[in-house]
Amino acid sequence: MIEDFRKMGKIGSSLVFMVLAFGMVLPSNAQYFSKMSIEEKDFCDTIPIEYRRGRVFIPVEIEGRTHQFIFDTGCSIGLMFTDRALTLKNKFGFALMNDAANHIHLSSVKRIPKMRVGNVTVRNYQVVLSPSHSIINNEYDCQQIVGCIGSNLFSKCRAMKIDTEKGIMVITDRRGVFDSEEGFRFPFKEDVRVPYLQVSTRADKSRWCLFDTGYPGFLDVRRKDITEADTLDTAIGSITAGVYGKTADERLLLLRLDSLRIGDCVFRQVTTNQQSANDYVLGSSILKFGSMVIDYNTHQMIFRPYHYDNGVTVANTYSDFAMMPRADGNLYVTLVWSMSRSYASGLRLGDRLTHIDGIDVGDNPCAYMNLASGEHIITFISTEGEKKEIPIEK
């Protein structure tokens, strides 16, 4: 999904490229999980990572070449956006894939015979190949991202730490490596190999929340029982896309929570949207504010804020509008918040992107996704043929 971000409470906008979570892979036959193996034993390896646009990118060596993969705890196995970059071997089994938009498909599972993540050699890593028409394929072709590494690899390693400030990830199969780690500790549980932790928006009620680093936002509230939040805006449309398509259009609320608690750590001024799906999702934007340890030996997470002053102030931003590509290769508006500057400028659901700064971008979504910083005029055409020029600032 592509969004034009603005600071909440202010009139104005800035452009950011954003993609939502890919979703969970549910195994129809769990036997193929046992086929993956790690050659090294008793290892503790530090891997350089890159954190940008709310994503953690990991270099993975396959067939003598290094490819960029996304670190995605929301996927129980790997996901490939394209098979052009490397050779995938024959089917490894089947899996029911439930994507972020709640579309469920039976998909064949293939394997990468050998890959190296840092100094760790992984054999027969299982992946599901995303269909060629998928929305996320269009987005990641523009960034030359090959796929994502799911939580099965890291649970096999047994423990890991992500530190975006230092730009490193530590993976280990040793017990006790993070026993002396400072920070806030809280338990997590696994469901189909993906981690869930408890969050609360008030002292007397907590909920299990998927920790999904495939989602670049901070928090997605997907139940209708939130009452202790201020409504900032409303819209009709969709902002969630999965491997097999987007969610149906619905009425969405943009909310601001005064505080969110994870264990004993308090996060303040959290902006989130409220949808009709069932799960809460905590995304990788939390990694902007501190390092995170996930220890599968103890089933504990440890969050250590980079800066802490009686709580972590999030003050996250949200979007004026969202766009997604269709089969014709063009980008279409899938949501506009009703109190935004873009809505006031005339942008509406279903409008099609045609020009950027007067240049025809046609069916080239990469032109928008890779847009340089600065002020821009984005031109749209409505379904009735009306031309609209929307100012944005990246």
Side-chain angles (χ1 to χ4, degrees):
M1 185 191 70
I2 307 156
E3 297 186 327
D4 174 22
F5 276 65
R6 63 188 170 92
K7 291 187 176 180
M8 295 311 306
K10 295 184 179 180
I11 301 299
S13 60
S14 61
L15 182 65
V16 175
F17 170 53
M18 179 178 180
V19 183
L20 288 183
F22 309 128
M24 230 188 303
V25 178
L26 309 177
S28 58
N29 181 348
Q31 291 298 318
Y32 64 76
F33 280 112
S34 64
K35 302 291 186 181
M36 180 184 64
S37 64
I38 296 176
E39 284 190 0
E40 290 74 19
K41 305 297 179 186
D42 191 31
F43 63 85
C44 185
D45 193 29
T46 300
I47 303 165
I49 61 172
E50 184 179 356
Y51 183 70
R52 67 178 189 273
R53 293 174 174 174
R55 298 271 189 204
V56 176
F57 295 91
I58 310 171
V60 178
E61 183 183 324
I62 304 172
E63 299 173 348
R65 294 181 58 192
T66 299
H67 305 274
Q68 289 290 310
F69 278 72
I70 294 170
F71 163 58
D72 188 357
T73 56
C75 268
S76 59
I77 65 175
L79 180 65
M80 296 294 297
F81 307 133
T82 176
D83 60 353
R84 296 192 302 270
L86 50 90
T87 303
L88 296 179
K89 296 300 182 181
N90 58 327
K91 293 178 182 179
F92 220 174
F94 292 90
L96 287 173
M97 170 168 262
N98 181 13
D99 71 6
N102 285 330
H103 301 298
I104 300 177
H105 285 256
L106 183 65
S107 304
S108 63
V109 179
K110 297 190 175 184
R111 63 188 173 95
I112 301 173
K114 179 182 177 181
M115 68 182 192
R116 287 180 62 83
V117 182
N119 294 312
V120 174
T121 305
V122 182
R123 298 278 185 179
N124 293 323
Y125 186 69
Q126 305 89 26
V127 295
V128 172
L129 185 62
S130 176
S132 58
H133 61 274
S134 174
I135 291 174
I136 63 174
N137 287 27
N138 289 324
E139 298 178 24
Y140 284 106
D141 275 350
C142 298
Q143 301 182 65
Q144 297 181 327
I145 305 301
V146 173
C148 70
I149 300 296
S151 58
N152 60 330
L153 174 59
F154 303 103
S155 63
K156 187 89 170 177
C157 294
R158 301 309 298 161
M160 63 177 302
K161 177 181 179 179
I162 313 104
D163 190 324
T164 60
E165 194 171 71
K166 294 181 179 178
I168 60 170
M169 174 185 290
V170 179
I171 58 175
T172 181
D173 64 349
R174 299 173 188 166
R175 290 181 175 271
V177 171
F178 302 113
D179 285 356
S180 61
E181 186 81 14
E182 296 181 356
F184 295 94
R185 294 174 179 264
F186 35 85
F188 73 92
K189 68 176 184 179
E190 290 182 77
D191 186 2
V192 198
R193 294 185 180 264
V194 297
Y196 284 80
L197 47 82
Q198 287 188 303
V199 303
S200 59
T201 54
R202 56 187 181 187
D204 62 342
K205 190 169 186 179
S206 63
R207 304 167 180 87
W208 286 105
C209 178
L210 171 64
F211 179 50
D212 183 3
T213 56
Y215 169 53
F218 189 86
L219 180 71
D220 215 358
V221 179
R222 296 185 177 180
R223 291 182 181 172
K224 297 181 178 179
D225 56 358
I226 291 288
T227 58
E228 62 280 13
D230 296 327
T231 299
L232 300 176
D233 213 336
T234 62
I236 301 293
S238 171
I239 57 175
T240 302
V243 174
Y244 299 106
K246 72 179 189 68
T247 55
D249 292 344
E250 61 177 324
R251 183 174 182 264
L252 302 176
L253 301 180
L254 195 61
L255 306 177
R256 179 154 49 211
L257 304 174
D258 288 336
S259 65
L260 177 79
R261 185 180 295 272
I262 306 174
D264 292 328
C265 188
V266 178
F267 298 86
R268 306 190 186 283
Q269 299 179 32
V270 177
T271 301
T272 180
N273 70 84
Q274 186 181 54
Q275 303 182 58
S276 62
N278 294 323
D279 288 336
Y280 279 42
V281 177
L282 181 69
S284 65
S285 282
I286 192 176
L287 302 175
K288 291 192 298 187
F289 303 99
S291 63
M292 181 75 82
V293 169
I294 308 176
D295 193 332
Y296 289 89
N297 298 301
T298 62
H299 277 85
Q300 275 195 332
M301 292 187 184
I302 308 169
F303 178 74
R304 183 177 185 178
Y306 298 132
H307 310 284
Y308 183 81
D309 182 14
N310 194 29
V312 176
T313 300
V314 177
N316 54 320
T317 59
Y318 226 80
S319 65
D320 268 17
F321 63 91
M323 291 196 297
M324 299 182 196
R326 294 183 186 173
D328 61 5
N330 290 282
L331 294 174
Y332 291 82
V333 175
T334 59
L335 175 140
V336 191
W337 294 107
S338 61
M339 296 178 65
S340 67
R341 185 177 74 164
S342 295
Y343 190 93
S345 298
L347 192 64
R348 295 295 184 269
L349 182 69
D351 290 350
R352 175 172 58 88
L353 174 68
T354 62
H355 293 75
I356 298 176
D357 296 328
I359 299 174
D360 188 350
V361 296
D363 58 356
N364 177 23
C366 294
Y368 183 88
M369 298 175 190
N370 299 328
L371 194 59
S373 299
E375 296 181 356
H376 301 276
I377 299 297
I378 310 297
T379 305
F380 295 86
I381 296 294
S382 71
T383 53
E384 293 80 20
E386 179 187 1
K387 181 180 177 180
K388 306 174 183 181
E389 294 186 342
I390 309 297
I392 66 167
E393 181 180 351
K394 183 177 180 182

